[in-house]
Amino acid sequence: RKEVEQDPGPFNVPEGATVAFNCTYSNSASQSFFWYRQDCRKEPKLLMSVYSSGNEDGRFTAQLNRASQYISLLIRDSKLSDSATYLCVAYNFNKFYFGSGTKLNVKP
Amino acid sequence: EPEVTQTPSHQVTQMGQEVILRCVPISNHLYFYWYRQILGQKVEFLVSFYNNEISEKSEIFDDQFSVERPDGSNFTLKIRSTKLEDSAMYFCASRPVQTDEKLFFGSGTQLSVL
């Protein structure tokens, strides 16, 4: 079973739309969670950490549900520049487990 | 803003040759990692390094792979005898302390084995 699973997409949305991604993790002992953004052939870049209480950074909101072992990312008012692959990451004892990523295409 | 730097950005080699990929982690970081990403696939963990020794490694990191921190700044990944399936983007990453789990990546080395 994969440590972290994501819907690969692609999610094709118009500019201004709200889009949500979910991710599930298998290890209930995972300590921390993150969303990274990866542009084509570039390195992953940290977008935000994910907390049980939920956290918001501008147009981005992340949420963790430990009981159901899933993490979500909500993007409001999508911009063309949001087009990328979004990686869900679980951290457990010095190891980071990456999902395969969800591809987002924001269209004009 | 401090960043992880990797060299070279592209490396082309013949099958069976040795390659060394170089990384300079962020200066006050203590934990170092190598990941790889085959085109179109997920980011895969290779090895983690702390206090001048390997702390964990994956099944991918077999006897053909080794890591070194030869001085206070560089962190290298060596592949002794490259195979075609080693072709991938290799990312170095670092993070500051055990309690800070934010991982910072270098821009990667694209390795092509012919």
Side-chain angles (χ1 to χ4, degrees), chain B residues 13-56:
Chain B
T13 189
Q14 296 289 324
M15 193 169 58
Q17 295 296 303
E18 174 183 287
V19 293
I20 297 177
L21 310 183
R22 302 179 191 281
C23 169
V24 179
I26 296 172
S27 63
N28 63 344
H29 284 195
L30 301 179
Y31 293 81
F32 314 118
Y33 302 80
W34 282 101
Y35 286 84
R36 79 171 187 191
Q37 188 174 31
I38 295 168
L39 186 64
Q41 298 186 25
K42 65 188 277 187
V43 175
E44 298 177 291
F45 169 75
L46 292 178
V47 65
S48 59
F49 194 87
Y50 170 70
N51 201 24
N52 286 320
E53 59 182 27
I54 290 173
S55 46
E56 197 143 2

Side-chain angles (χ1 to χ4, degrees), chain A residues 5 12 15 22 26 29 57 59 64 66 69 73 93 102:
Chain A
E5 295 207 54
N12 297 308
E15 260 187 297
N22 288 331
S26 60
D57 183 2
R59 298 181 293 108
L64 164 65
R66 282 198 180 269
Q69 292 183 208
L73 177 68
F93 291 111
T102 298

Side-chain angles (χ1 to χ4, degrees), chain A residues 31-46:
Chain A
Q31 299 158 273
S32 307
F33 305 90
F34 306 89
W35 283 102
Y36 277 75
R37 170 197 168 123
Q38 186 175 30
D39 293 290
C40 190
R41 294 185 171 273
K42 301 283 189 183
E43 75 273 23
K45 290 189 176 174
L46 179 65

Side-chain angles (χ1 to χ4, degrees), chain A residues 1-14:
Chain A
R1 186 179 174 186
K2 293 179 185 175
E3 290 278 346
V4 177
E5 295 207 54
Q6 295 181 250
D7 179 346
F11 284 60
N12 297 308
V13 303

